[in-house]
Amino acid sequence: MAFYSIYSEKDRRFGQVRLNGPYPDGLENIFYIIMHEPWMEITTMALFFIKIENKSEYPIRYIYMTASYTLYLEFDRDEAPFVRQNYICPYQHNCYELFYVFEGTCHNIAEGNRKIYRKNDGYFQKPYVVRCDDFQSDFYGVELWLTRDYIEEIFNPVNWHVEGISRTDADYSDKALRYLLQKDYTDFYLRDHFRADYYLSKNTCIFEGIV
């Protein structure tokens, strides 16, 4: 059975559901709305944590957060094969996506190219890139989904409020960001002094502390 927990100002519920069976109380429609809020531009961004531990009692766990909802999903060993068979497939969406690996190794395929992301690696991709996840290896990562309009807003130097930035620096940053937005996807890794290992220990508690 899959365990779910939904929290919003108007709806707070939790329970268990079998993925290959009927969903109770319109739950399927609620799941659809939550997972598609950025795509339908109901909200400007979504934060999506995922943890894969293949030998765990709960191999696949998600936390999905928007301004409207927080959704927690965990799939036990009986449900994990169904998730891999029916939901791990090529996909694309109309949002920008930033992905980062906290732990482990993540495998996926982007536009037909197999990619491997290890701890402190990640990628930034623009809308409509075809990507396919592979949950065969253990990893813990986070995705940030941003709508196109919001990307244009936050990347516009007019909206920057950084004290002491020169016009030359602003022009350079703007050109670099525009170049980044033109590429289908950009892989990256963080140098040592940018890595947030101190954050990882606290962030792991998001999963470990849920009851």
Side-chain angles (χ1 to χ4, degrees), residues 105-147:
T105 303
C106 175
H107 298 253
N108 62 36
I109 299 172
E111 298 290 357
N113 300 313
R114 177 164 288 277
K115 315 292 291 184
I116 300 176
Y117 302 98
R118 298 178 175 84
K119 181 178 179 179
N120 293 314
D121 292 345
Y123 63 79
F124 179 83
Q125 76 175 35
K126 71 179 186 180
Y128 303 114
V129 171
V130 177
R131 187 176 288 272
C132 182
D133 299 317
D134 181 348
F135 290 172
Q136 299 305 313
S137 60
D138 294 351
F139 73 93
Y140 173 32
V142 60
E143 295 180 13
L144 180 64
W145 295 348
L146 301 160
T147 62

Side-chain angles (χ1 to χ4, degrees), residues 173-189:
S173 298
D174 181 46
K175 291 178 181 178
L177 291 171
R178 296 295 166 183
Y179 172 75
L180 180 65
L181 295 181
Q182 290 174 3
K183 300 184 68 176
D184 286 343
Y185 61 86
T186 301
D187 295 337
F188 67 86
Y189 71 94

